[in-house]
Amino acid sequence: MNPFLSKLQPYPFEKLRKLFSGVTPDPQQREIRLSIGEPQHETPAFIKDALTAGLAGLATYPTTLGSSELRRGIAAWLERRYGLHGIDAETQVIPVNGSREALFAFAQTIIDPSRGYTPLVVSPNPFYQIYEGAAYLAGAEPRFLNTLPANNYAFDFTALSEAEWRRVQLFFVCSPGNPTGKVLNLEDWQQLFALADRYGFVIASDECYSEIFLDEADPPLGCLQAASLLGRDFERLVMFSSLSKRSNVPGMRSGFVAGDPATLKSFLLYRTYHGSAMNPAVQAASVAAWNDEAHVRENRRQYREKFAAVTPRLAEVLPAAIPDAGFYLWVRTPVSDSEFARRLLAGYNVILLPGTYLARTSQGVNPGAGFVRIALVAPLADCLEAAERIRSFISKL
């Protein structure tokens, strides 16, 4: 067996199952699950129609590079969304089966263990657990940069020594962040680009929450957009995006990577052998989804409504604040995060995710400790009901 598998920790939801072992929720209260970031808004009918209309494509093998129609649709969306120009659909875009598998596979392409040292992969902390697993399975070591409320969840680049920076081969970014909702600004990107130039590492920017924001006039800045604004090309820079959150199709497993053509050329070679071509019917549905913005605006409207209704109610008993973007509330708890989650389930049948499970101890601190992640993915009525139950729970602590 691959010895690196032994380095993988149980996934957060496996830890959650163990935490809840032996807990019997109040049977008089129906379950409200706000622990997993799974969109529960209705999938638009036109996407379903495009999926079924594309079923004839099942008679042929899809190519790893995907259809030219899909790649052109994604390139056009990138140009509309980020004000970019001249995105080459042939060399700068690859459709992928959701950002999760692509983020993992990307590390296997990038990491070079033959340089005479153990490579480092840098990740925000808290973080999406795939970053850590991808690093270990590629033969690298993860390094975590704590993102803390005292520093507005910004990276502290001074946390790594000069010797460590020289070993960095890959830097994972998540903007908007999971779970904090933090969006990197142009100055943040400028600092990171300067470090990448100095040490030669690749930046993998996970932007799967980029279309869940509250102000229609102020969409989150993307990495390719930042590079363009700073007069840079996309060398050693790749973004990852997905339809799951944007279009409420998590089961479709559809996304893309875009950016540096040289890096993507190597990634395409890896993926060709990996056998990860997208289902032709899914490609057809993806074209329809990327070409439409009306359903995305409606999606954001529903999240705005939930944040506006739920956050003030929770803020009366907990330090809840609306994030830059995304659909999570990242909230400090009055008792340990695991105790909070377990007791809330037992007494009120509301499921939240303890922050400790989303982070690792780094520099003597687990930045997820004492926080819970609340995913406002359920219908408005359920989110409001959960908020009222949490208020009742807090009043009795």
Side-chain angles (χ1 to χ4, degrees), residues 208-242:
C208 71
Y209 295 93
S210 70
E211 304 313 289
I212 311 299
F213 54 90
L214 301 182
D215 185 350
E216 291 291 333
D218 187 25
L221 179 70
C223 70
L224 302 185
Q225 181 183 21
S228 179
L229 290 172
L230 292 169
R232 302 173 56 90
D233 60 22
F234 302 152
E235 185 180 6
R236 300 187 312 278
L237 177 64
V238 174
M239 72 165 284
F240 297 71
S241 190
S242 169

Side-chain angles (χ1 to χ4, degrees), residues 24-64:
T24 302
D26 181 352
Q28 297 183 10
Q29 309 229 43
R30 63 184 178 85
E31 177 184 277
I32 300 179
R33 184 180 296 271
L34 303 179
S35 54
I36 186 169
E38 180 180 64
Q40 295 179 32
H41 297 171
E42 182 67 26
T43 299
F46 77 91
I47 297 178
K48 297 178 185 178
D49 292 342
L51 183 67
T52 55
L55 290 177
L58 298 181
T60 59
Y61 282 116
T63 64
T64 305

Side-chain angles (χ1 to χ4, degrees), residues 12-331:
F13 299 106
E14 182 179 343
K15 293 181 179 180
L16 195 63
R17 284 192 295 272
K18 290 182 179 179
L19 175 68
F20 292 162
S21 177
V23 174
T24 302
D26 181 352
Q28 297 183 10
Q29 309 229 43
R30 63 184 178 85
E31 177 184 277
I32 300 179
R33 184 180 296 271
L34 303 179
S35 54
I36 186 169
E38 180 180 64
Q40 295 179 32
H41 297 171
E42 182 67 26
T43 299
F46 77 91
I47 297 178
K48 297 178 185 178
D49 292 342
L51 183 67
T52 55
L55 290 177
L58 298 181
T60 59
Y61 282 116
T63 64
T64 305
L65 193 55
S67 71
S68 58
E69 183 183 14
L70 176 55
R71 283 182 279 110
R72 287 196 302 267
I74 292 169
W77 180 81
L78 284 167
E79 293 182 351
R80 291 193 307 272
R81 168 63 173 82
Y82 295 109
L84 303 173
H85 302 283
I87 297 294
D88 186 348
E90 299 301 315
T91 64
Q92 292 184 296
V93 174
I94 302 175
V96 297
N97 295 311
S99 56
R100 175 173 177 163
E101 67 91 4
L103 287 161
F104 178 86
F106 191 70
Q108 318 314 306
T109 301
I110 297 301
I111 297 303
D112 178 2
S114 68
R115 298 188 192 178
Y117 61 85
T118 301
L120 297 185
V121 173
V122 181
S123 163
N125 193 29
F127 62 98
Y128 183 39
Q129 306 296 290
I130 297 303
Y131 309 153
E132 180 187 61
Y136 280 135
L137 268 295
E141 291 181 4
R143 284 290 186 275
F144 300 108
L145 295 185
N146 295 338
T147 53
L148 303 167
N151 195 29
N152 194 26
Y153 302 111
F155 285 122
D156 178 9
F157 295 121
T158 66
L160 295 186
S161 68
E162 175 70 18
E164 287 176 314
W165 277 116
R166 288 198 296 266
R167 293 166 56 199
V168 174
Q169 293 187 9
L170 179 61
F171 195 118
F172 280 116
V173 176
C174 187
S175 178
N178 173 12
T180 65
K182 168 73 174 180
V183 173
L184 271 65
N185 61 32
L186 192 60
E187 183 179 351
D188 297 326
W189 282 114
Q190 189 169 27
Q191 292 180 59
L192 186 54
F193 291 153
L195 288 165
D197 289 344
R198 179 174 179 180
Y199 297 105
F201 57 79
V202 173
I203 299 171
S205 182
D206 179 358
E207 301 181 15
C208 71
Y209 295 93
S210 70
E211 304 313 289
I212 311 299
F213 54 90
L214 301 182
D215 185 350
E216 291 291 333
D218 187 25
L221 179 70
C223 70
L224 302 185
Q225 181 183 21
S228 179
L229 290 172
L230 292 169
R232 302 173 56 90
D233 60 22
F234 302 152
E235 185 180 6
R236 300 187 312 278
L237 177 64
V238 174
M239 72 165 284
F240 297 71
S241 190
S242 169
L243 288 173
S244 295
K245 278 76 174 176
R246 174 188 181 272
S247 299
N248 301 310
V249 288
M252 205 163 78
R253 312 311 303 136
S254 177
F256 69 83
V257 297
D260 178 23
T263 302
L264 291 186
K265 183 178 180 180
S266 296
F267 191 39
L268 179 63
L269 175 63
Y270 175 91
R271 295 183 66 76
T272 300
Y273 278 83
H274 193 65
S276 50
M278 185 185 293
N279 180 312
V282 171
Q283 292 192 51
S286 300
V287 171
W290 289 116
N291 285 342
D292 181 78
E293 290 298 322
H295 76 286
V296 189
R297 289 191 291 270
E298 168 58 19
N299 196 35
R300 286 194 289 267
R301 185 198 65 76
Q302 293 184 59
Y303 285 118
R304 277 198 302 271
E305 186 178 32
K306 286 188 279 191
F307 273 115
V310 171
T311 310
R313 299 296 289 159
L314 287 179
E316 294 176 6
V317 294
L318 290 171
I322 295 176
D324 291 347
F327 50 50
Y328 299 118
L329 288 171
W330 183 238
V331 180

